[in-house]
Amino acid sequence: MAQFELRCIECGKSHDMARPAYACSKCGNLLEVRIDIAAAKNALGRSEWKKRPISVWRYKELIPVDSKTKIHSLNEGGTPLLKCSRLGERIGVRNLKIKFDGTNPTGSFKDRGMTVGITKAVELGMKTVTCASTGNTSASLAAYAGLAGLRCVVLIPEGKVALGKLAQAMMHGALVVSVKGNFDQALDLVMKASEKLGMYVLNSVNPFRIEGQKTAAYEVCDQNDGRPPEYLYIPVGNGGNSAAYWKGFAEYESLGIVSNHPVVRGIQAEGAAPVANLFESNAKELVPVKKPDTVATAIRIGNPANWKKTVRAIKESGGYASVVSDEEILEAQKSLAKYEGIFAEPAGAAALAGLAKDVRLGKIDRSADVVCVSTGHGLKDPDIAIAQSVQPATIEASMKALEELLGGQ
Ligand code: F0G
């Protein structure tokens, strides 16, 4: 573990990794794990990591978990990077790929972070884990807590969590608490309650979650002939995943495994876009959106806890954050399903919607190598899918009726 240090992103204060911590004890800012590049190179050099299958734990030398710790895994990561020629042609880009993280064990990218976060929770001796969630984090946390035998308490915004996600959290045995308020209020409550009630928080303010999620960027490089794409489009909600991807790309570059990095473009839904607003207005501080709203309930967040990390990440990459409308998100969701066989939930189509918009506005070179991250599976939110689809036709069980329906073809 010599190659890791837990540090404040603002004042640089070092923190003990053997104790639960989510914010700097000196200045209150977010914490992140820093890798000592020389030590990490050494550890990789002594291992056979390239022979392991593509998955989160392929990169275990770059993940801050003690080598003696038992890993709690459902075989997460190793998700496909799919070349999307039909869709690329339709929207007007030649080299489009989708990193489909909806194929993780519980159907979203959260599993990458949760296998590390839960492994860490056990290592720290925690007995109860908790999170606030728009749905996917709670589904993933519940599954991994069950696997590791930990008590799980999840807080969700009342009436705003997609059905599939709710079903998952309930089936995996979490105590599901519906909060009369939005995600931001639920997260606030979780943070306040965690210390008092002795619960370990596994929202993306937990620095170990990010350490699992960054492996998606390593995977993208490894699956893209050892090169990062020129552009990465990614949805931004609480700001953890975009920061995690950037951390992964930046580390791979520092380690000399790749020789450059992508420009990261963060995409938010119009009605929940505090990070995009910050870029638009060139502001230094985030102005929270009080009543966030979007059909993409996963990213219905007005006060992202990781805003400093994601703003820094996007800026360092040379990118920016921008918005798409709910209509554009649903259009992208339908196109992914129809032309590429990829069923994503609305938030998992937001990045593609952002790319399509940038192409229309001439903000991207049509021959660029682009990866869009699709973060969650469409089965998570069946209501949205059914509401925007042609309903099934009902016929008698006869050839005549079927022929009539198909117009004699
Ligand atoms: N896409 C999906 C499908 C999500 O579930 C989330 C976040 C995001 C994108 C945004 O990622 O928050 O790291 O910027 N879902 C969280 C949850 C908030 O509670 O499940 P982020």
Side-chain angles (χ1 to χ4, degrees):
M1 288 272 282
Q3 64 261 42
F4 304 104
E5 188 194 0
L6 185 61
R7 280 171 55 138
C8 171
I9 62 162
E10 282 295 327
C11 75
K13 182 178 180 337
S14 192
H15 287 68
D16 183 2
M17 278 215 254
R19 283 202 305 198
Y22 324 102
C24 178
S25 55
K26 191 166 145 209
C27 70
N29 273 292
L30 295 164
L31 300 175
E32 69 172 357
V33 175
R34 286 282 190 97
I35 289 199
D36 178 321
I37 293 297
K41 268 189 182 165
N42 200 355
L44 284 177
R46 282 184 282 109
S47 79
E48 301 215 306
W49 69 282
K50 284 192 177 153
K51 291 194 182 151
R52 297 176 198 145
I54 295 203
S55 68
V56 168
W57 294 102
R58 171 185 221 211
Y59 310 99
K60 68 177 186 224
E61 284 77 12
L62 305 177
I63 298 174
V65 167
D66 197 282
S67 57
K68 292 187 236 41
T69 300
K70 175 177 164 20
I71 289 168
H72 295 277
S73 172
L74 290 168
N75 216 350
E76 47 295 305
T79 57
L81 182 69
L82 300 163
K83 174 118 183 83
C84 294
S85 317
R86 294 189 74 205
L87 200 47
E89 203 173 302
R90 288 190 76 84
I91 66 173
V93 280
R94 273 203 282 286
N95 296 304
L96 170 64
K97 297 184 191 94
I98 301 279
K99 179 65 170 165
F100 190 25
D101 247 352
T103 61
N104 270 299
T106 77
S108 84
F109 70 92
K110 307 285 179 178
D111 298 341
R112 294 181 179 276
M114 227 42 101
T115 180
V116 177
I118 283 286
T119 295
K120 203 73 198 174
V122 175
E123 190 181 285
L124 293 172
M126 304 305 292
K127 298 283 181 261
T128 304
V129 289
T130 190
C131 71
S133 179
T134 56
N136 281 322
T137 304
S138 63
S140 181
L141 181 62
Y144 284 85
L147 181 69
L150 302 177
R151 183 168 177 245
C152 178
V153 180
V154 303
L155 275 66
I156 54 172
E158 187 184 32
K160 292 292 179 186
V161 168
L163 216 58
K165 305 175 188 180
L166 188 61
Q168 287 178 292
M170 289 160 66
M171 276 301 280
H172 291 304
L175 172 64
V176 181
V177 184
S178 189
V179 176
K180 293 185 177 170
N182 59 30
F183 168 84
D184 304 301
Q185 292 164 305
L187 181 57
D188 208 37
L189 183 55
V190 159
M191 295 312 297
K192 285 185 183 133
S194 62
E195 203 170 334
K196 192 164 182 202
L197 306 179
M199 303 189 290
Y200 190 53
V201 179
L202 277 163
N203 278 97
S204 51
V205 291
N206 184 312
F208 298 107
R209 273 261 322 262
I210 303 297
E211 293 305 292
Q213 287 173 214
K214 72 181 182 183
T215 59
Y218 304 158
E219 287 186 8
V220 166
C221 297
D222 290 352
Q223 294 169 315
N224 196 42
D225 296 331
R227 286 178 293 108
E230 288 170 82
Y231 292 89
L232 184 93
Y233 280 75
I234 184 163
V236 176
N238 214 19
N241 206 34
S242 36
Y245 259 89
W246 174 246
K247 191 171 194 289
F249 285 123
E251 285 176 356
Y252 241 35
E253 194 178 4
S254 301
L255 288 163
I257 299 170
V258 295
S259 52
N260 49 15
H261 57 255
V263 170
V264 176
R265 292 193 174 163
I267 306 299
Q268 295 207 287
E270 220 162 48
V275 174
N277 294 346
L278 182 146
F279 274 87
E280 179 70 27
S281 63
N282 230 336
K284 289 228 158 18
E285 291 290 312
L286 185 100
V287 179
V289 171
K290 289 228 169 57
K291 289 197 173 141
D293 205 15
T294 166
V295 67
T297 52
I299 50 173
R300 187 175 170 272
I301 295 175
N303 189 16
N306 294 296
W307 73 268
K308 279 192 182 165
K309 274 191 187 176
T310 190
V311 167
R312 191 172 292 183
I314 292 170
K315 280 190 178 162
E316 266 176 35
S317 80
Y320 54 77
S322 56
V323 298
V324 287
S325 66
D326 278 1
E327 293 70 40
E328 288 167 326
I329 290 175
L330 294 178
E331 189 56 44
Q333 187 193 17
K334 275 189 276 190
S335 299
L336 271 172
K338 186 166 173 191
Y339 300 112
E340 297 293 349
I342 298 171
F343 190 18
E345 65 170 290
L352 180 72
L355 170 65
K357 188 172 176 183
D358 276 2
V359 175
R360 279 200 306 278
L361 298 175
K363 290 184 170 176
I364 187 162
D365 176 1
R366 287 169 182 267
S367 61
D369 186 18
V370 188
V371 168
C372 289
V373 182
S374 183
T375 45
H377 203 283
L379 287 173
K380 296 267 191 178
D381 198 346
D383 293 341
I384 286 287
I386 290 169
Q388 59 178 319
S389 301
V390 177
Q391 302 306 300
T394 306
I395 59 164
E396 296 299 328
S398 74
M399 182 62 79
K400 186 166 166 280
L402 185 58
E403 265 179 353
E404 258 171 37
L405 182 77
L406 301 182
Q409 289 158 16

mmCIF file with all atom_site columns, all heavy atoms in Angstrom, residues 72 127 144-151:
data_model
loop_
_atom_site.group_PDB
_atom_site.id
_atom_site.type_symbol
_atom_site.label_atom_id
_atom_site.label_alt_id
_atom_site.label_comp_id
_atom_site.label_asym_id
_atom_site.label_entity_id
_atom_site.label_seq_id
_atom_site.pdbx_PDB_ins_code
_atom_site.Cartn_x
_atom_site.Cartn_y
_atom_site.Cartn_z
_atom_site.occupancy
_atom_site.B_iso_or_equiv
_atom_site.pdbx_formal_charge
_atom_site.auth_seq_id
_atom_site.auth_comp_id
_atom_site.auth_asym_id
_atom_site.auth_atom_id
_atom_site.pdbx_PDB_model_num
ATOM 1  N N   . HIS A 1 72  ? -14.434 -8.492  -2.211 1.00 0.00 ? 72  HIS A N   1
ATOM 2  C CA  . HIS A 1 72  ? -15.834 -8.847  -2.444 1.00 0.00 ? 72  HIS A CA  1
ATOM 3  C C   . HIS A 1 72  ? -16.194 -8.410  -3.857 1.00 0.00 ? 72  HIS A C   1
ATOM 4  O O   . HIS A 1 72  ? -16.269 -7.222  -4.146 1.00 0.00 ? 72  HIS A O   1
ATOM 5  C CB  . HIS A 1 72  ? -16.729 -8.186  -1.400 1.00 0.00 ? 72  HIS A CB  1
ATOM 6  C CG  . HIS A 1 72  ? -16.465 -8.704  -0.018 1.00 0.00 ? 72  HIS A CG  1
ATOM 7  N ND1 . HIS A 1 72  ? -17.022 -9.878  0.451  1.00 0.00 ? 72  HIS A ND1 1
ATOM 8  C CD2 . HIS A 1 72  ? -15.663 -8.257  0.966  1.00 0.00 ? 72  HIS A CD2 1
ATOM 9  C CE1 . HIS A 1 72  ? -16.586 -10.117 1.682  1.00 0.00 ? 72  HIS A CE1 1
ATOM 10 N NE2 . HIS A 1 72  ? -15.755 -9.150  2.015  1.00 0.00 ? 72  HIS A NE2 1
ATOM 11 N N   . LYS A 1 127 ? -19.743 -2.193  10.088 1.00 0.00 ? 127 LYS A N   1
ATOM 12 C CA  . LYS A 1 127 ? -20.815 -3.195  10.105 1.00 0.00 ? 127 LYS A CA  1
ATOM 13 C C   . LYS A 1 127 ? -22.047 -2.743  9.313  1.00 0.00 ? 127 LYS A C   1
ATOM 14 O O   . LYS A 1 127 ? -22.836 -3.559  8.848  1.00 0.00 ? 127 LYS A O   1
ATOM 15 C CB  . LYS A 1 127 ? -21.244 -3.471  11.563 1.00 0.00 ? 127 LYS A CB  1
ATOM 16 C CG  . LYS A 1 127 ? -20.113 -4.043  12.416 1.00 0.00 ? 127 LYS A CG  1
ATOM 17 C CD  . LYS A 1 127 ? -19.889 -5.524  12.114 1.00 0.00 ? 127 LYS A CD  1
ATOM 18 C CE  . LYS A 1 127 ? -18.788 -6.121  12.950 1.00 0.00 ? 127 LYS A CE  1
ATOM 19 N NZ  . LYS A 1 127 ? -17.512 -6.204  12.209 1.00 0.00 ? 127 LYS A NZ  1
ATOM 20 N N   . TYR A 1 144 ? -23.875 -5.535  -2.972 1.00 0.00 ? 144 TYR A N   1
ATOM 21 C CA  . TYR A 1 144 ? -22.540 -5.808  -2.421 1.00 0.00 ? 144 TYR A CA  1
ATOM 22 C C   . TYR A 1 144 ? -22.567 -5.937  -0.905 1.00 0.00 ? 144 TYR A C   1
ATOM 23 O O   . TYR A 1 144 ? -21.786 -6.703  -0.326 1.00 0.00 ? 144 TYR A O   1
ATOM 24 C CB  . TYR A 1 144 ? -21.534 -4.739  -2.879 1.00 0.00 ? 144 TYR A CB  1
ATOM 25 C CG  . TYR A 1 144 ? -21.122 -4.956  -4.315 1.00 0.00 ? 144 TYR A CG  1
ATOM 26 C CD1 . TYR A 1 144 ? -21.894 -4.449  -5.354 1.00 0.00 ? 144 TYR A CD1 1
ATOM 27 C CD2 . TYR A 1 144 ? -20.003 -5.711  -4.639 1.00 0.00 ? 144 TYR A CD2 1
ATOM 28 C CE1 . TYR A 1 144 ? -21.555 -4.674  -6.676 1.00 0.00 ? 144 TYR A CE1 1
ATOM 29 C CE2 . TYR A 1 144 ? -19.655 -5.933  -5.960 1.00 0.00 ? 144 TYR A CE2 1
ATOM 30 C CZ  . TYR A 1 144 ? -20.433 -5.412  -6.975 1.00 0.00 ? 144 TYR A CZ  1
ATOM 31 O OH  . TYR A 1 144 ? -20.098 -5.654  -8.284 1.00 0.00 ? 144 TYR A OH  1
ATOM 32 N N   . ALA A 1 145 ? -23.460 -5.188  -0.251 1.00 0.00 ? 145 ALA A N   1
ATOM 33 C CA  . ALA A 1 145 ? -23.581 -5.319  1.204  1.00 0.00 ? 145 ALA A CA  1
ATOM 34 C C   . ALA A 1 145 ? -24.084 -6.719  1.541  1.00 0.00 ? 145 ALA A C   1
ATOM 35 O O   . ALA A 1 145 ? -23.600 -7.376  2.468  1.00 0.00 ? 145 ALA A O   1
ATOM 36 C CB  . ALA A 1 145 ? -24.522 -4.251  1.757  1.00 0.00 ? 145 ALA A CB  1
ATOM 37 N N   . GLY A 1 146 ? -25.059 -7.184  0.757  1.00 0.00 ? 146 GLY A N   1
ATOM 38 C CA  . GLY A 1 146 ? -25.573 -8.543  0.945  1.00 0.00 ? 146 GLY A CA  1
ATOM 39 C C   . GLY A 1 146 ? -24.447 -9.563  0.801  1.00 0.00 ? 146 GLY A C   1
ATOM 40 O O   . GLY A 1 146 ? -24.274 -10.454 1.639  1.00 0.00 ? 146 GLY A O   1
ATOM 41 N N   . LEU A 1 147 ? -23.671 -9.398  -0.257 1.00 0.00 ? 147 LEU A N   1
ATOM 42 C CA  . LEU A 1 147 ? -22.552 -10.305 -0.540 1.00 0.00 ? 147 LEU A CA  1
ATOM 43 C C   . LEU A 1 147 ? -21.547 -10.358 0.615  1.00 0.00 ? 147 LEU A C   1
ATOM 44 O O   . LEU A 1 147 ? -21.021 -11.416 0.943  1.00 0.00 ? 147 LEU A O   1
ATOM 45 C CB  . LEU A 1 147 ? -21.848 -9.805  -1.813 1.00 0.00 ? 147 LEU A CB  1
ATOM 46 C CG  . LEU A 1 147 ? -20.660 -10.568 -2.352 1.00 0.00 ? 147 LEU A CG  1
ATOM 47 C CD1 . LEU A 1 147 ? -21.104 -11.917 -2.905 1.00 0.00 ? 147 LEU A CD1 1
ATOM 48 C CD2 . LEU A 1 147 ? -19.955 -9.772  -3.448 1.00 0.00 ? 147 LEU A CD2 1
ATOM 49 N N   . ALA A 1 148 ? -21.310 -9.194  1.222  1.00 0.00 ? 148 ALA A N   1
ATOM 50 C CA  . ALA A 1 148 ? -20.292 -9.125  2.277  1.00 0.00 ? 148 ALA A CA  1
ATOM 51 C C   . ALA A 1 148 ? -20.882 -9.311  3.674  1.00 0.00 ? 148 ALA A C   1
ATOM 52 O O   . ALA A 1 148 ? -20.152 -9.309  4.664  1.00 0.00 ? 148 ALA A O   1
ATOM 53 C CB  . ALA A 1 148 ? -19.569 -7.777  2.199  1.00 0.00 ? 148 ALA A CB  1
ATOM 54 N N   . GLY A 1 149 ? -22.201 -9.433  3.748  1.00 0.00 ? 149 GLY A N   1
ATOM 55 C CA  . GLY A 1 149 ? -22.848 -9.647  5.049  1.00 0.00 ? 149 GLY A CA  1
ATOM 56 C C   . GLY A 1 149 ? -22.899 -8.395  5.917  1.00 0.00 ? 149 GLY A C   1
ATOM 57 O O   . GLY A 1 149 ? -22.825 -8.480  7.142  1.00 0.00 ? 149 GLY A O   1
ATOM 58 N N   . LEU A 1 150 ? -23.048 -7.230  5.284  1.00 0.00 ? 150 LEU A N   1
ATOM 59 C CA  . LEU A 1 150 ? -23.148 -5.988  6.036  1.00 0.00 ? 150 LEU A CA  1
ATOM 60 C C   . LEU A 1 150 ? -24.591 -5.486  6.034  1.00 0.00 ? 150 LEU A C   1
ATOM 61 O O   . LEU A 1 150 ? -25.352 -5.739  5.097  1.00 0.00 ? 150 LEU A O   1
ATOM 62 C CB  . LEU A 1 150 ? -22.260 -4.901  5.408  1.00 0.00 ? 150 LEU A CB  1
ATOM 63 C CG  . LEU A 1 150 ? -20.763 -5.209  5.288  1.00 0.00 ? 150 LEU A CG  1
ATOM 64 C CD1 . LEU A 1 150 ? -20.047 -4.067  4.596  1.00 0.00 ? 150 LEU A CD1 1
ATOM 65 C CD2 . LEU A 1 150 ? -20.155 -5.473  6.664  1.00 0.00 ? 150 LEU A CD2 1
ATOM 66 N N   . ARG A 1 151 ? -24.926 -4.743  7.070  1.00 0.00 ? 151 ARG A N   1
ATOM 67 C CA  . ARG A 1 151 ? -26.249 -4.113  7.113  1.00 0.00 ? 151 ARG A CA  1
ATOM 68 C C   . ARG A 1 151 ? -26.228 -2.922  6.150  1.00 0.00 ? 151 ARG A C   1
ATOM 69 O O   . ARG A 1 151 ? -25.233 -2.208  6.055  1.00 0.00 ? 151 ARG A O   1
ATOM 70 C CB  . ARG A 1 151 ? -26.519 -3.651  8.540  1.00 0.00 ? 151 ARG A CB  1
ATOM 71 C CG  . ARG A 1 151 ? -27.876 -3.050  8.733  1.00 0.00 ? 151 ARG A CG  1
ATOM 72 C CD  . ARG A 1 151 ? -28.164 -2.900  10.240 1.00 0.00 ? 151 ARG A CD  1
ATOM 73 N NE  . ARG A 1 151 ? -29.436 -2.268  10.433 1.00 0.00 ? 151 ARG A NE  1
ATOM 74 C CZ  . ARG A 1 151 ? -29.603 -1.071  10.994 1.00 0.00 ? 151 ARG A CZ  1
ATOM 75 N NH1 . ARG A 1 151 ? -28.581 -0.408  11.476 1.00 0.00 ? 151 ARG A NH1 1
ATOM 76 N NH2 . ARG A 1 151 ? -30.813 -0.560  11.103 1.00 0.00 ? 151 ARG A NH2 1
#
